[in-house]
Amino acid sequence: MRTKNFRTLLLCCALPLFTTGCESLFTIEVEAEEICKTEDDLSFPAAFPGSASVEQAIEVPLGDFASALPEDTDVETQLRLKVFNATATTDISGIQRASLSVRKPGSVEYVLLGEFRGSGTGGATNTLQLTGSGAVDVLDLAKQEELEFLFKAEGSLPTQPWSADVRVCVGAKASANYFGLLF
């Protein structure tokens, strides 16, 4: 009789937990407010007259960001561009559009993180700043040791080889649910 009462009590106490979303009790979140990488003297090729674009890959290490996350569960991630600054060795005011994208892990597809659209009304400048486009979710992003970013620029580009000091900072957040592993 005592065992039956205990089971009934356990069922009565556990049922409200499961029906009110106790899954949130089994979620772990990891967050890195800012992960930065600076590339000094990043080289860009000369643009042929009439050509309108240039691309450059940038690797950003995440380190042990995801070490606390479980291996056998889905991970939701948020990646947000915090800072993208480039200071070139020459005038880059002819850049009309620039973007920074992150490559999806295990894919050739890229997801846009930030961009710049020139107005063409400014004078000569050797600096460029991109504005973040919001948080993106890239599956299994947190489980990577480093991320590959792709910088693209379009417009009237320098016709001689040039370089730039580039600083990229991203914020990353990942969460995983242990509920499915336990029950």
Side-chain angles (χ1 to χ4, degrees), residues 156-169:
S156 290
L157 301 170
T159 55
Q160 73 277 1
W162 56 287
S163 64
D165 295 339
V166 176
R167 184 164 191 256
V168 178
C169 294

Side-chain angles (χ1 to χ4, degrees), residues 3-19:
T3 306
K4 184 178 178 184
N5 288 340
F6 178 72
R7 285 185 194 151
T8 305
L9 178 63
L10 183 61
L11 181 62
C12 290
C13 291
L15 189 58
L17 281 175
F18 289 111
T19 59

